Amino acid sequence: MLPEPSMSAIDRVAEAARSAADGIVGQSGANGQPKSNGRATNAKLEQLKQFIDYPKEGENIATTEHGVPVANNTAWLKGGARGPMLLEDQVAREKVHQFDHERIPERVVHARGAAAHGTFKVTKPLGRNVTAANVLNDTSKETPVFLRFSTVQGPRGSADTVRDVRGFAVKFYTDEGNWDIVGNDVPVFFVADSHRFIDLIHAVKPEPQLEIPTGQSAHPSFWDWISLSPESAHMNMWQMSPYGIPRYYHTMRGHGVNTYRLVGEDGSSRYVKFHFFPEVGCQSLNWDEALKIQGQNPDFHRTVLAEMIDAGKFPRWKFAVQIMEEDDEDTHSWDPLDSTKVWPAAKYPFIEVGELELNANPTNYFAETENVAFCTSHIVPGIDFSDDPLLQGRNFSYSDTQLSRLGGPNWHQIPINRPVCPMATFNRDGAMPMKIPKGANYFPNSEGNATNLAPTFNKADTLTNPEALPGQIWHDSAKRLASGESRQGFSSYPEDLARLNRLKALKLRTNGPKFANYFEQAQIFWNSVQDHERASIKEAAIFELSKVPDEEVRKRIVHLYRHINPDLAKAVADEFRLNVPTDAAIPISQETYPELSLHYENVRTIRQKRIAIIKLDGTPESEIETIKKRFESGDALVFIIDHRGLDAMRSTLFDATFLPLTNEESYRVARSHGRVKHWIRESTGHLKPLLINGSYGLSLVKQVITNEAEGIKAAVGDDIVSSFGVITSAAEAASSQKLVDAFVEAVA
Ligand code: HDD
């Protein structure tokens, strides 16, 4: 879809060969074209190089999987040229065999995704007494990361811009092992207990009879479930809000969602939540754009991610934590172990720790993006679990699912999943091992292998202290960790289970009583977002419920929404000619948390925006150059679109448009070109900045934009006018500083 001239197939092969010869990895372009703008390397990319398989000099002869050269790779062995095919053909059979098995089960959720390599750097260390984790303290380190974005509901082949929650899963290849934050783009979840997750997913996934719908939650079983599950009220607000349709991956937040624990070297422990804030601020699509892009470019998000990295405009996020002292946990109307709740930033500020940058595309989608396996249970010393019941269940599920998805217990040996730090484990064998382990495979052993399995354990200990059995050593090491005396390797935090009378509790299949505070934060979310976000929630809920014919379900949603906000309930009720129940009133919170709004970060930047310049016959180059340079120097991506290529392009795919119209010829082309006129109407309809200059431009605007934006029509004149995002001036040339500034301001 990119309008820039693309390489020929021969160029591509030649460039691929050059890249491979240079050992460049992670730098294939958006359309599979290898580019070389990605970052040089990092420890993980270096490690991956040894696995990259590209024919070298003298290796360009096709062989079987076992190295035997193949003379003819184009036809099956037959009895005579037209005769029956022979089963004997081991070459053809091998090819078909491999093909028959070249797919693995897609992820049961988050099947559709895209990923990139990058680096994480600490900018403000948390301090070793807050967390012993090197990765959160050492400012001299660049930790390699691999980040996979995803949608939840749709299959691998579904569209990118559907309304859905987005996954935000980061693997940090730290020098103390792999640490995974398997998060989403919103900070809360539908359910608080992992036991409920399976029902949620069954309800939201395509319905069993006809496997409908694809990539949508707008269907009866999902809303039936929502209407009966008040704990999801808060999450439902986020999902229906503009957060549900992010503009790009690089304009999304990332949140760990679950409550974890930070453990200091002094043995202290605190609760923690992990967050990523996009450098360029949060941005969303509007629904009309999202719908159109699903058809115009179903791969929109993944295309733009790869394109930004190829162009060297690396997406970045600020990484921050919220920290809560354990003593605080009982002081709220909600429970900090409940993942359907946020922690208000006014009380628990976002503490900046570092910056994550994505700077290299994968070399091979299947080997990296598809084979990467994230697990919430992957933590490193200094980080530990809380008793969050969603997290605890996840800790089982992720490693379990990889067994069937990746075909056995050795998935940690797949290149993308390997740690970059030294590793030694006695867990071995099973299907498809990719290493040849040597030596003892048990502990304790007299070879001295992997003695750090027990920190103080060595041969001398066994001889001089026969009582130093591994169990005792583990216990001692936990005690030493708690006292801050020493730490080596990961020890579980010796949590005092008697705290808050936990040990006096009965064994129950339930959660803390405050988990039942379902509506307060849904109300606060509604209060905290801007008018247009509230409008989106109403519209999204109405759209989705229009696909749910059962009136009982709609009534239950109105009832549920009445617990969140009366206006919301009324808007939905009116649409479906229902009444808002009067007996549903509960106290409505008036509180606001500004950080819940899409606009919290309030970033004004043109960085990583995609600007279209429509070049008509007769448009002088000079008109285009000034704008192009200005945007490129601000790290935006500029696409020059010849009007003859407009059939393949749509305004929805860009953030702003410049249409230079300074002479009669270009005016004539524009006026008679349906797509140009449609572009103007559509992009202004989406309130996107549109710069049209010159007296011809002004005439076109007046013709094309009529009733919908009377404001623009009334306002245009000789001076620079910026109204509804349309910037016009009859007098000013596109090279005028004033005009360019006005456009840049509108885009930011
Ligand atoms: Fe999950 C994948 C995020 C609850 C079970 N989940 C998966 C991925 C993300 C999340 C981003 C894709 C990872 C990737 O890119 O490979 N999941 C979440 C969040 C949750 C959550 C933020 C709530 C806080 N998940 C959750 C629960 C369970 C699962 C409660 C099971 C009890 N999730 C899975 C899974 C998946 C998965 C079935 C599918 C593929 C995979 O794990 O590797 O195990």
Side-chain angles (χ1 to χ4, degrees):
M1 284 297 264
L2 296 185
E4 288 165 325
S6 60
M7 294 181 184
S8 71
I10 293 169
D11 288 345
R12 281 204 290 274
V13 172
E15 178 134 343
R18 274 195 298 279
S19 303
D22 293 349
I24 295 170
V25 295
Q27 298 179 357
S28 61
N31 294 340
Q33 301 141 325
K35 299 231 180 143
S36 52
N37 290 333
R39 225 185 96 106
T41 194
N42 65 43
K44 184 65 194 176
L45 292 173
E46 279 302 308
Q47 185 198 47
L48 290 178
K49 269 186 196 175
Q50 63 182 299
F51 299 102
I52 292 181
D53 187 26
Y54 190 85
K56 298 186 188 61
E57 279 287 306
E59 284 187 356
N60 54 356
I61 293 172
T63 72
T64 65
E65 285 165 10
H66 311 285
V68 179
V70 178
N72 179 349
N73 195 17
T74 61
W76 200 296
L77 190 67
K78 298 184 196 75
R82 303 182 61 240
M85 295 186 356
L86 303 180
L87 190 59
E88 175 196 316
D89 189 348
Q90 85 283 15
V91 179
R93 271 191 290 114
E94 183 185 273
K95 191 170 175 185
V96 175
H97 259 310
Q98 174 71 29
F99 177 74
D100 288 348
H101 301 279
E102 72 182 30
R103 287 287 172 275
I104 56 172
E106 66 175 32
R107 289 165 173 84
V108 53
V109 283
H110 296 266
R112 166 114 189 134
H117 291 275
T119 38
F120 173 72
K121 241 182 121 49
V122 175
T123 46
K124 299 184 179 149
L126 272 175
R128 303 240 169 221
N129 283 343
V130 175
T131 172
N134 247 350
V135 61
L136 299 178
N137 279 308
D138 190 344
T139 49
S140 70
K141 277 251 141 64
E142 275 203 345
T143 303
V145 299
F146 192 64
L147 200 170
R148 182 173 180 271
F149 305 97
S150 48
T151 50
V152 181
Q153 198 265 10
R156 256 187 76 180
S158 51
D160 278 350
T161 61
V162 297
R163 175 177 296 286
D164 199 350
V165 177
R166 298 299 185 288
F168 192 106
V170 192
K171 194 178 279 296
F172 296 79
Y173 302 93
T174 88
D175 52 11
E176 296 175 297
N178 289 353
W179 172 37
D180 296 351
I181 296 183
V182 199
N184 281 341
D185 67 332
V186 297
V188 290
F189 200 64
F190 290 96
V191 293
D193 191 314
S194 46
H195 209 69
R196 303 256 294 137
F197 176 79
I198 288 87
D199 296 299
L200 156 73
I201 298 304
H202 286 173
V204 74
K205 277 278 183 179
E207 298 192 7
Q209 191 193 355
L210 300 173
E211 211 182 43
I212 294 174
T214 298
Q216 290 203 9
S217 57
H219 61 112
S221 63
F222 176 69
W223 284 90
D224 182 34
W225 185 89
I226 287 280
S227 71
L228 295 166
S229 305
E231 75 188 279
S232 63
H234 187 191
M235 179 66 168
N236 187 239
M237 292 295 97
W238 287 86
Q239 182 200 9
M240 292 300 117
S241 80
Y243 283 103
I245 37 176
R247 173 123 200 110
Y248 304 121
Y249 286 141
H250 67 259
T251 62
M252 292 183 346
R253 294 185 194 172
H255 300 274
V257 183
N258 290 124
T259 299
Y260 280 84
R261 188 189 288 284
L262 292 180
V263 184
E265 278 188 352
D266 59 3
S268 61
S269 148
R270 295 163 184 85
Y271 289 140
V272 65
K273 286 216 184 260
F274 302 117
H275 308 279
F276 299 86
F277 293 98
E279 184 195 33
V280 296
C282 278
Q283 296 159 30
S284 70
L285 296 165
N286 64 49
W287 186 229
D288 187 53
E289 287 175 297
L291 291 178
K292 288 174 170 168
I293 297 174
Q294 281 173 38
Q296 289 160 353
N297 182 358
D299 304 304
F300 185 62
H301 283 158
R302 63 169 66 176
T303 311
V304 174
L305 174 67
E307 166 193 280
M308 285 294 159
I309 293 172
D310 275 340
K313 308 198 185 307
F314 302 137
R316 293 192 195 107
W317 284 262
K318 194 168 73 185
F319 176 68
V321 296
Q322 284 180 293
I323 294 179
M324 183 189 291
E325 296 294 338
E326 282 181 47
D327 286 346
D328 255 20
E329 73 176 326
D330 215 20
T331 61
H332 309 285
S333 57
W334 39 271
D335 193 317
L337 301 183
D338 172 357
S339 285
T340 68
K341 307 294 189 303
V342 291
W343 299 357
K347 184 104 203 268
Y348 303 102
F350 299 113
I351 303 166
E352 185 181 333
V353 183
E355 188 181 85
L356 185 149
E357 178 183 273
L358 294 182
N359 44 37
N361 284 314
T363 301
N364 181 287
Y365 184 90
F366 185 81
E368 295 166 83
T369 310
E370 195 60 8
N371 271 314
V372 66
F374 296 94
C375 297
T376 52
S377 51
H378 291 171
I379 50 173
V380 292
I383 299 169
D384 209 332
F385 311 117
S386 75
D387 292 320
D388 174 341
L390 195 62
L391 173 60
Q392 292 288 341
R394 295 180 76 193
N395 286 344
F396 167 75
S397 179
Y398 288 74
S399 44
D400 182 47
T401 201
Q402 315 307 346
L403 293 177
S404 54
R405 197 172 74 80
L406 298 173
N410 285 315
W411 52 268
H412 61 275
Q413 294 184 24
I414 296 174
I416 191 68
N417 294 322
R418 293 180 181 210
V420 294
C421 60
M423 69 176 275
T425 169
F426 294 137
N427 304 340
R428 15 175 109 158
D429 302 347
M432 309 270 177
M434 281 166 274
K435 286 179 175 179
I436 304 180
K438 186 176 165 190
N441 64 349
Y442 54 87
F443 172 82
N445 65 73
S446 52
E447 288 177 31
N449 285 351
T451 48
N452 65 318
L453 284 180
T456 58
F457 194 84
N458 57 39
K459 271 194 226 169
D461 271 345
T462 18
L463 298 176
T464 56
N465 179 8
E467 282 175 4
L469 294 171
Q472 182 62 37
I473 293 162
W474 276 112
H475 179 71
D476 289 350
S477 87
K479 270 201 323 208
R480 273 198 305 283
L481 174 64
S483 69
E485 193 189 301
S486 97
R487 55 178 293 280
Q488 183 186 0
F490 177 82
S491 288
S492 286
Y493 175 70
E495 182 186 0
D496 177 0
L497 290 176
R499 252 182 106 246
L500 292 182
N501 296 328
R502 281 200 186 110
L503 272 194
K504 284 192 206 148
L506 301 173
K507 190 189 275 185
L508 291 173
R509 225 178 249 284
T510 183
N511 285 307
K514 289 182 194 168
F515 278 52
N517 179 3
Y518 300 139
F519 296 109
E520 187 185 11
Q521 288 205 351
Q523 296 162 359
I524 293 172
F525 181 85
W526 180 266
N527 300 342
S528 307
V529 297
Q530 295 191 359
D531 282 346
H532 81 89
E533 292 171 271
R534 281 190 279 266
S536 294
I537 296 174
K538 286 181 193 168
E539 283 161 18
I542 288 168
F543 168 80
E544 300 233 343
L545 284 170
S546 71
K547 312 271 178 193
V548 182
D550 186 343
E551 191 166 290
E552 269 315 299
V553 173
R554 290 177 179 168
K555 278 185 185 162
R556 284 202 298 258
I557 293 294
V558 170
H559 191 263
L560 188 87
Y561 282 179
R562 175 65 188 86
H563 287 67
I564 299 173
N565 185 277
D567 288 347
L568 173 61
K570 185 164 180 333
V572 175
D574 284 353
E575 185 71 22
F576 299 108
R577 297 182 185 281
L578 300 170
N579 296 321
V580 179
T582 46
D583 61 345
I586 59 160
I588 300 279
S589 168
Q590 300 303 317
E591 259 192 279
T592 55
Y593 300 168
E595 70 273 18
L596 305 190
S597 166
L598 201 66
H599 305 284
Y600 170 61
E601 292 112 277
N602 197 20
V603 181
R604 298 183 71 78
T605 181
I606 59 171
R607 183 160 201 266
Q608 292 165 352
K609 296 254 162 66
R610 306 173 89 238
I611 314 296
I613 300 183
I614 299 179
K615 188 170 181 299
L616 304 157
D617 284 351
T619 309
E621 286 297 326
S622 57
E623 283 292 303
I624 294 175
E625 260 327 283
T626 319
I627 296 279
K628 184 168 180 281
K629 279 203 185 117
R630 176 70 182 270
F631 275 94
E632 282 180 346
S633 69
D635 260 354
L637 247 63
V638 175
F639 298 82
I640 298 178
I641 302 167
D642 193 293
H643 73 90
R644 287 167 217 278
L646 268 189
D647 267 344
M649 285 293 143
R650 295 292 188 274
S651 78
T652 41
L653 306 174
F654 302 93
D655 294 299
T657 306
F658 171 38
L659 184 64
L661 270 189
T662 37
N663 58 26
E664 198 172 345
E665 194 186 350
S666 54
Y667 175 57
R668 192 183 43 75
V669 176
R671 212 180 38 172
S672 58
H673 200 310
R675 282 261 163 248
V676 173
K677 288 192 279 190
H678 176 64
W679 189 296
I680 296 174
R681 286 199 198 97
E682 187 178 54
S683 81
T684 51
H686 294 149
L687 298 180
K688 286 180 184 168
L690 171 71
L691 172 62
I692 300 192
N693 66 315
S695 53
Y696 291 108
L698 215 54
S699 317
L700 190 71
V701 170
K702 283 181 185 165
Q703 284 170 35
V704 173
I705 307 170
T706 50
N707 317 343
E708 304 94 336
E710 274 301 325
I712 305 170
K713 198 178 167 194
V716 289
D718 273 2
D719 290 335
I720 294 177
V721 168
S722 176
S723 173
F724 290 89
V726 180
I727 296 139
T728 49
S729 164
E732 302 279 349
S735 52
S736 115
Q737 196 59 34
K738 256 164 69 187
L739 202 61
V740 177
D741 286 349
F743 188 45
V744 166
E745 176 61 17
V747 174

